[in-house]
Amino acid sequence: MIDRRIADQLIPWPAIIWKVVFNSRAYSLQIDVRAPERQALNVYWEQRLMGRCNRLFKYPELTVVTSGTGHSTHQLAAMMVRFKPQDPPR
């Protein structure tokens, strides 16, 4: 997976933990990246700030933006599940 807001290099599937989150207004696709791959990412300050807010609500750190993809959160999740199952609820 590549998300240019957080990394210019490929993030390996085994390093990604993801789930669909409902935040009382909308659904979002959220990910965490395991160490040591997380330390190699160049996350922009806006994403780091949003990540801290996400952590307050016990959500995964990074939000995958669906804008411009032409797909809904659930459609993107259906594509991702082909590569890696969703993280089970905690």
Side-chain angles (χ1 to χ4, degrees):
M1 174 180 176
I2 295 178
D3 184 333
R4 300 270 185 225
R5 296 166 306 117
I6 60 172
D8 287 329
Q9 71 270 12
L10 184 68
I11 303 169
W13 284 111
I16 295 173
I17 302 165
W18 70 276
K19 68 180 179 176
V20 174
V21 173
F22 183 71
N23 67 5
S24 78
R25 291 186 0 211
Y27 287 95
S28 64
L29 182 62
Q30 311 237 164
I31 66 170
D32 278 326
V33 180
R34 291 189 173 112
E37 288 85 357
R38 174 63 180 89
Q39 285 76 23
L41 300 181
N42 185 21
V43 180
Y44 296 129
W45 71 268
E46 298 97 335
Q47 296 305 314
R48 287 194 310 269
L49 179 62
M50 173 99 66
R52 289 184 182 184
C53 292
N54 287 337
R55 291 281 189 222
L56 289 174
F57 294 103
K58 302 202 186 304
Y59 298 152
E61 178 185 17
L62 303 166
T63 303
V64 177
V65 178
T66 58
S67 301
T69 66
H71 299 289
S72 70
T73 298
H74 292 301
Q75 289 170 328
L76 288 176
M79 289 181 225
M80 287 185 71
V81 81
R82 293 185 296 181
F83 298 97
K84 183 171 180 68
Q86 181 172 234
D87 190 40
R90 295 178 213 185

PDB file of all heavy atoms in Angstrom, residues 30 32 38 43-57 59-63:
ATOM      1  N   GLN A  30      -9.280   3.439   8.758  1.00  0.00           N
ATOM      2  CA  GLN A  30      -8.164   3.878   9.574  1.00  0.00           C
ATOM      3  C   GLN A  30      -7.111   2.782   9.654  1.00  0.00           C
ATOM      4  O   GLN A  30      -7.446   1.602   9.675  1.00  0.00           O
ATOM      5  CB  GLN A  30      -8.657   4.230  10.973  1.00  0.00           C
ATOM      6  CG  GLN A  30      -9.849   5.120  10.944  1.00  0.00           C
ATOM      7  CD  GLN A  30      -9.693   6.406  11.688  1.00  0.00           C
ATOM      8  OE1 GLN A  30     -10.475   7.266  11.474  1.00  0.00           O
ATOM      9  NE2 GLN A  30      -8.719   6.584  12.525  1.00  0.00           N
ATOM     10  N   ASP A  32      -3.064   1.587  11.327  1.00  0.00           N
ATOM     11  CA  ASP A  32      -1.846   1.714  12.117  1.00  0.00           C
ATOM     12  C   ASP A  32      -0.763   1.003  11.321  1.00  0.00           C
ATOM     13  O   ASP A  32      -1.056   0.064  10.569  1.00  0.00           O
ATOM     14  CB  ASP A  32      -1.977   1.022  13.479  1.00  0.00           C
ATOM     15  CG  ASP A  32      -2.691   1.881  14.505  1.00  0.00           C
ATOM     16  OD1 ASP A  32      -2.536   3.111  14.474  1.00  0.00           O
ATOM     17  OD2 ASP A  32      -3.407   1.310  15.349  1.00  0.00           O
ATOM     18  N   ARG A  38       6.854   1.840  10.791  1.00  0.00           N
ATOM     19  CA  ARG A  38       6.276   3.121  11.224  1.00  0.00           C
ATOM     20  C   ARG A  38       7.360   4.177  11.369  1.00  0.00           C
ATOM     21  O   ARG A  38       7.164   5.330  10.998  1.00  0.00           O
ATOM     22  CB  ARG A  38       5.507   2.935  12.531  1.00  0.00           C
ATOM     23  CG  ARG A  38       4.971   4.235  13.156  1.00  0.00           C
ATOM     24  CD  ARG A  38       3.950   4.886  12.225  1.00  0.00           C
ATOM     25  NE  ARG A  38       3.422   6.114  12.759  1.00  0.00           N
ATOM     26  CZ  ARG A  38       3.951   7.315  12.572  1.00  0.00           C
ATOM     27  NH1 ARG A  38       5.072   7.462  11.881  1.00  0.00           N
ATOM     28  NH2 ARG A  38       3.382   8.401  13.059  1.00  0.00           N
ATOM     29  N   VAL A  43       5.461  11.047   8.010  1.00  0.00           N
ATOM     30  CA  VAL A  43       4.079  11.494   8.169  1.00  0.00           C
ATOM     31  C   VAL A  43       4.048  13.014   8.306  1.00  0.00           C
ATOM     32  O   VAL A  43       4.739  13.581   9.148  1.00  0.00           O
ATOM     33  CB  VAL A  43       3.432  10.829   9.406  1.00  0.00           C
ATOM     34  CG1 VAL A  43       2.001  11.281   9.579  1.00  0.00           C
ATOM     35  CG2 VAL A  43       3.513   9.317   9.294  1.00  0.00           C
ATOM     36  N   TYR A  44       3.225  13.676   7.456  1.00  0.00           N
ATOM     37  CA  TYR A  44       3.119  15.127   7.513  1.00  0.00           C
ATOM     38  C   TYR A  44       2.493  15.565   8.827  1.00  0.00           C
ATOM     39  O   TYR A  44       1.734  14.832   9.455  1.00  0.00           O
ATOM     40  CB  TYR A  44       2.289  15.652   6.339  1.00  0.00           C
ATOM     41  CG  TYR A  44       2.922  15.401   5.004  1.00  0.00           C
ATOM     42  CD1 TYR A  44       2.207  14.812   3.979  1.00  0.00           C
ATOM     43  CD2 TYR A  44       4.249  15.748   4.763  1.00  0.00           C
ATOM     44  CE1 TYR A  44       2.785  14.577   2.741  1.00  0.00           C
ATOM     45  CE2 TYR A  44       4.833  15.515   3.527  1.00  0.00           C
ATOM     46  CZ  TYR A  44       4.091  14.937   2.522  1.00  0.00           C
ATOM     47  OH  TYR A  44       4.666  14.710   1.310  1.00  0.00           O
ATOM     48  N   TRP A  45       2.768  16.780   9.247  1.00  0.00           N
ATOM     49  CA  TRP A  45       2.332  17.271  10.554  1.00  0.00           C
ATOM     50  C   TRP A  45       0.820  17.223  10.711  1.00  0.00           C
ATOM     51  O   TRP A  45       0.317  16.957  11.798  1.00  0.00           O
ATOM     52  CB  TRP A  45       2.891  18.660  10.848  1.00  0.00           C
ATOM     53  CG  TRP A  45       2.291  19.765  10.033  1.00  0.00           C
ATOM     54  CD1 TRP A  45       2.745  20.257   8.852  1.00  0.00           C
ATOM     55  CD2 TRP A  45       1.117  20.514  10.355  1.00  0.00           C
ATOM     56  NE1 TRP A  45       1.921  21.249   8.402  1.00  0.00           N
ATOM     57  CE2 TRP A  45       0.914  21.437   9.312  1.00  0.00           C
ATOM     58  CE3 TRP A  45       0.212  20.497  11.410  1.00  0.00           C
ATOM     59  CZ2 TRP A  45      -0.155  22.329   9.298  1.00  0.00           C
ATOM     60  CZ3 TRP A  45      -0.850  21.390  11.400  1.00  0.00           C
ATOM     61  CH2 TRP A  45      -1.020  22.294  10.360  1.00  0.00           C
ATOM     62  N   GLU A  46       0.076  17.475   9.614  1.00  0.00           N
ATOM     63  CA  GLU A  46      -1.386  17.437   9.711  1.00  0.00           C
ATOM     64  C   GLU A  46      -1.870  16.041  10.078  1.00  0.00           C
ATOM     65  O   GLU A  46      -2.791  15.873  10.871  1.00  0.00           O
ATOM     66  CB  GLU A  46      -2.049  17.854   8.386  1.00  0.00           C
ATOM     67  CG  GLU A  46      -1.740  19.255   7.943  1.00  0.00           C
ATOM     68  CD  GLU A  46      -0.610  19.305   6.928  1.00  0.00           C
ATOM     69  OE1 GLU A  46       0.230  18.385   6.894  1.00  0.00           O
ATOM     70  OE2 GLU A  46      -0.562  20.281   6.174  1.00  0.00           O
ATOM     71  N   GLN A  47      -1.238  15.038   9.464  1.00  0.00           N
ATOM     72  CA  GLN A  47      -1.614  13.648   9.740  1.00  0.00           C
ATOM     73  C   GLN A  47      -1.196  13.230  11.153  1.00  0.00           C
ATOM     74  O   GLN A  47      -1.889  12.463  11.810  1.00  0.00           O
ATOM     75  CB  GLN A  47      -0.993  12.712   8.699  1.00  0.00           C
ATOM     76  CG  GLN A  47      -1.499  12.958   7.301  1.00  0.00           C
ATOM     77  CD  GLN A  47      -3.014  12.884   7.216  1.00  0.00           C
ATOM     78  OE1 GLN A  47      -3.620  11.972   7.751  1.00  0.00           O
ATOM     79  NE2 GLN A  47      -3.622  13.844   6.562  1.00  0.00           N
ATOM     80  N   ARG A  48      -0.046  13.732  11.616  1.00  0.00           N
ATOM     81  CA  ARG A  48       0.379  13.432  12.993  1.00  0.00           C
ATOM     82  C   ARG A  48      -0.601  14.031  13.997  1.00  0.00           C
ATOM     83  O   ARG A  48      -0.962  13.398  14.990  1.00  0.00           O
ATOM     84  CB  ARG A  48       1.792  13.946  13.253  1.00  0.00           C
ATOM     85  CG  ARG A  48       2.862  13.121  12.565  1.00  0.00           C
ATOM     86  CD  ARG A  48       4.258  13.423  13.101  1.00  0.00           C
ATOM     87  NE  ARG A  48       4.577  14.845  13.152  1.00  0.00           N
ATOM     88  CZ  ARG A  48       5.168  15.530  12.174  1.00  0.00           C
ATOM     89  NH1 ARG A  48       5.503  14.938  11.061  1.00  0.00           N
ATOM     90  NH2 ARG A  48       5.431  16.808  12.322  1.00  0.00           N
ATOM     91  N   LEU A  49      -1.061  15.267  13.731  1.00  0.00           N
ATOM     92  CA  LEU A  49      -2.027  15.924  14.612  1.00  0.00           C
ATOM     93  C   LEU A  49      -3.351  15.153  14.621  1.00  0.00           C
ATOM     94  O   LEU A  49      -3.913  14.878  15.685  1.00  0.00           O
ATOM     95  CB  LEU A  49      -2.250  17.374  14.174  1.00  0.00           C
ATOM     96  CG  LEU A  49      -3.253  18.178  14.991  1.00  0.00           C
ATOM     97  CD1 LEU A  49      -2.793  18.293  16.446  1.00  0.00           C
ATOM     98  CD2 LEU A  49      -3.434  19.561  14.379  1.00  0.00           C
ATOM     99  N   MET A  50      -3.842  14.799  13.443  1.00  0.00           N
ATOM    100  CA  MET A  50      -5.078  14.018  13.352  1.00  0.00           C
ATOM    101  C   MET A  50      -4.892  12.665  14.042  1.00  0.00           C
ATOM    102  O   MET A  50      -5.801  12.169  14.707  1.00  0.00           O
ATOM    103  CB  MET A  50      -5.476  13.808  11.899  1.00  0.00           C
ATOM    104  CG  MET A  50      -6.636  12.874  11.720  1.00  0.00           C
ATOM    105  SD  MET A  50      -8.236  13.578  11.467  1.00  0.00           S
ATOM    106  CE  MET A  50      -8.128  14.363   9.933  1.00  0.00           C
ATOM    107  N   GLY A  51      -3.710  12.084  13.900  1.00  0.00           N
ATOM    108  CA  GLY A  51      -3.416  10.803  14.539  1.00  0.00           C
ATOM    109  C   GLY A  51      -3.502  10.879  16.052  1.00  0.00           C
ATOM    110  O   GLY A  51      -3.992   9.953  16.703  1.00  0.00           O
ATOM    111  N   ARG A  52      -3.064  11.979  16.617  1.00  0.00           N
ATOM    112  CA  ARG A  52      -3.171  12.148  18.071  1.00  0.00           C
ATOM    113  C   ARG A  52      -4.626  12.224  18.504  1.00  0.00           C
ATOM    114  O   ARG A  52      -5.005  11.656  19.530  1.00  0.00           O
ATOM    115  CB  ARG A  52      -2.412  13.380  18.528  1.00  0.00           C
ATOM    116  CG  ARG A  52      -0.928  13.183  18.438  1.00  0.00           C
ATOM    117  CD  ARG A  52      -0.177  14.352  18.973  1.00  0.00           C
ATOM    118  NE  ARG A  52       1.248  14.084  18.798  1.00  0.00           N
ATOM    119  CZ  ARG A  52       2.178  14.881  19.229  1.00  0.00           C
ATOM    120  NH1 ARG A  52       1.869  15.987  19.869  1.00  0.00           N
ATOM    121  NH2 ARG A  52       3.445  14.584  19.036  1.00  0.00           N
ATOM    122  N   CYS A  53      -5.438  12.919  17.726  1.00  0.00           N
ATOM    123  CA  CYS A  53      -6.882  12.977  18.024  1.00  0.00           C
ATOM    124  C   CYS A  53      -7.499  11.583  17.896  1.00  0.00           C
ATOM    125  O   CYS A  53      -8.301  11.184  18.740  1.00  0.00           O
ATOM    126  CB  CYS A  53      -7.581  13.950  17.084  1.00  0.00           C
ATOM    127  SG  CYS A  53      -7.116  15.664  17.353  1.00  0.00           S
ATOM    128  N   ASN A  54      -7.134  10.860  16.852  1.00  0.00           N
ATOM    129  CA  ASN A  54      -7.653   9.505  16.671  1.00  0.00           C
ATOM    130  C   ASN A  54      -7.311   8.622  17.865  1.00  0.00           C
ATOM    131  O   ASN A  54      -8.135   7.830  18.331  1.00  0.00           O
ATOM    132  CB  ASN A  54      -7.105   8.874  15.393  1.00  0.00           C
ATOM    133  CG  ASN A  54      -7.716   9.460  14.149  1.00  0.00           C
ATOM    134  OD1 ASN A  54      -8.806  10.015  14.176  1.00  0.00           O
ATOM    135  ND2 ASN A  54      -7.009   9.352  13.040  1.00  0.00           N
ATOM    136  N   ARG A  55      -6.094   8.747  18.368  1.00  0.00           N
ATOM    137  CA  ARG A  55      -5.649   7.948  19.520  1.00  0.00           C
ATOM    138  C   ARG A  55      -6.482   8.247  20.776  1.00  0.00           C
ATOM    139  O   ARG A  55      -6.730   7.359  21.585  1.00  0.00           O
ATOM    140  CB  ARG A  55      -4.176   8.199  19.824  1.00  0.00           C
ATOM    141  CG  ARG A  55      -3.254   7.673  18.783  1.00  0.00           C
ATOM    142  CD  ARG A  55      -3.086   6.195  18.961  1.00  0.00           C
ATOM    143  NE  ARG A  55      -2.031   5.746  18.073  1.00  0.00           N
ATOM    144  CZ  ARG A  55      -2.110   4.639  17.387  1.00  0.00           C
ATOM    145  NH1 ARG A  55      -3.152   3.868  17.480  1.00  0.00           N
ATOM    146  NH2 ARG A  55      -1.125   4.279  16.596  1.00  0.00           N
ATOM    147  N   LEU A  56      -6.917   9.511  20.936  1.00  0.00           N
ATOM    148  CA  LEU A  56      -7.755   9.859  22.084  1.00  0.00           C
ATOM    149  C   LEU A  56      -9.041   9.036  22.111  1.00  0.00           C
ATOM    150  O   LEU A  56      -9.565   8.727  23.177  1.00  0.00           O
ATOM    151  CB  LEU A  56      -8.103  11.351  22.066  1.00  0.00           C
ATOM    152  CG  LEU A  56      -6.977  12.315  22.388  1.00  0.00           C
ATOM    153  CD1 LEU A  56      -7.447  13.754  22.188  1.00  0.00           C
ATOM    154  CD2 LEU A  56      -6.488  12.116  23.813  1.00  0.00           C
ATOM    155  N   PHE A  57      -9.566   8.720  20.924  1.00  0.00           N
ATOM    156  CA  PHE A  57     -10.795   7.933  20.821  1.00  0.00           C
ATOM    157  C   PHE A  57     -10.525   6.442  20.631  1.00  0.00           C
ATOM    158  O   PHE A  57     -11.429   5.677  20.319  1.00  0.00           O
ATOM    159  CB  PHE A  57     -11.646   8.462  19.664  1.00  0.00           C
ATOM    160  CG  PHE A  57     -12.156   9.860  19.917  1.00  0.00           C
ATOM    161  CD1 PHE A  57     -11.566  10.947  19.297  1.00  0.00           C
ATOM    162  CD2 PHE A  57     -13.199  10.081  20.794  1.00  0.00           C
ATOM    163  CE1 PHE A  57     -12.025  12.234  19.527  1.00  0.00           C
ATOM    164  CE2 PHE A  57     -13.669  11.356  21.040  1.00  0.00           C
ATOM    165  CZ  PHE A  57     -13.075  12.442  20.405  1.00  0.00           C
ATOM    166  N   TYR A  59      -8.883   5.007  18.251  1.00  0.00           N
ATOM    167  CA  TYR A  59      -8.939   4.614  16.848  1.00  0.00           C
ATOM    168  C   TYR A  59      -7.513   4.386  16.353  1.00  0.00           C
ATOM    169  O   TYR A  59      -6.561   4.920  16.933  1.00  0.00           O
ATOM    170  CB  TYR A  59      -9.572   5.709  15.983  1.00  0.00           C
ATOM    171  CG  TYR A  59     -10.994   6.058  16.303  1.00  0.00           C
ATOM    172  CD1 TYR A  59     -11.478   7.335  16.051  1.00  0.00           C
ATOM    173  CD2 TYR A  59     -11.883   5.135  16.842  1.00  0.00           C
ATOM    174  CE1 TYR A  59     -12.787   7.682  16.318  1.00  0.00           C
ATOM    175  CE2 TYR A  59     -13.197   5.468  17.114  1.00  0.00           C
ATOM    176  CZ  TYR A  59     -13.639   6.753  16.846  1.00  0.00           C
ATOM    177  OH  TYR A  59     -14.932   7.078  17.111  1.00  0.00           O
ATOM    178  N   PRO A  60      -7.351   3.662  15.243  1.00  0.00           N
ATOM    179  CA  PRO A  60      -6.015   3.606  14.626  1.00  0.00           C
ATOM    180  C   PRO A  60      -5.545   5.017  14.268  1.00  0.00           C
ATOM    181  O   PRO A  60      -6.346   5.913  14.022  1.00  0.00           O
ATOM    182  CB  PRO A  60      -6.240   2.750  13.379  1.00  0.00           C
ATOM    183  CG  PRO A  60      -7.401   1.885  13.741  1.00  0.00           C
ATOM    184  CD  PRO A  60      -8.293   2.772  14.573  1.00  0.00           C
ATOM    185  N   GLU A  61      -4.251   5.185  14.228  1.00  0.00           N
ATOM    186  CA  GLU A  61      -3.648   6.514  14.082  1.00  0.00           C
ATOM    187  C   GLU A  61      -3.989   7.240  12.782  1.00  0.00           C
ATOM    188  O   GLU A  61      -4.341   8.417  12.788  1.00  0.00           O
ATOM    189  CB  GLU A  61      -2.125   6.379  14.175  1.00  0.00           C
ATOM    190  CG  GLU A  61      -1.394   7.681  14.001  1.00  0.00           C
ATOM    191  CD  GLU A  61       0.111   7.520  13.976  1.00  0.00           C
ATOM    192  OE1 GLU A  61       0.609   6.397  13.772  1.00  0.00           O
ATOM    193  OE2 GLU A  61       0.787   8.535  14.148  1.00  0.00           O
ATOM    194  N   LEU A  62      -3.864   6.583  11.656  1.00  0.00           N
ATOM    195  CA  LEU A  62      -3.925   7.268  10.363  1.00  0.00           C
ATOM    196  C   LEU A  62      -5.254   7.016   9.649  1.00  0.00           C
ATOM    197  O   LEU A  62      -5.750   5.896   9.618  1.00  0.00           O
ATOM    198  CB  LEU A  62      -2.763   6.807   9.491  1.00  0.00           C
ATOM    199  CG  LEU A  62      -1.381   7.028  10.112  1.00  0.00           C
ATOM    200  CD1 LEU A  62      -0.323   6.249   9.353  1.00  0.00           C
ATOM    201  CD2 LEU A  62      -1.048   8.505  10.178  1.00  0.00           C
ATOM    202  N   THR A  63      -5.801   8.070   9.055  1.00  0.00           N
ATOM    203  CA  THR A  63      -7.057   7.976   8.320  1.00  0.00           C
ATOM    204  C   THR A  63      -6.755   7.917   6.827  1.00  0.00           C
ATOM    205  O   THR A  63      -6.020   8.753   6.305  1.00  0.00           O
ATOM    206  CB  THR A  63      -7.948   9.197   8.610  1.00  0.00           C
ATOM    207  OG1 THR A  63      -8.164   9.288  10.023  1.00  0.00           O
ATOM    208  CG2 THR A  63      -9.272   9.109   7.893  1.00  0.00           C
TER     209      THR A  63
END
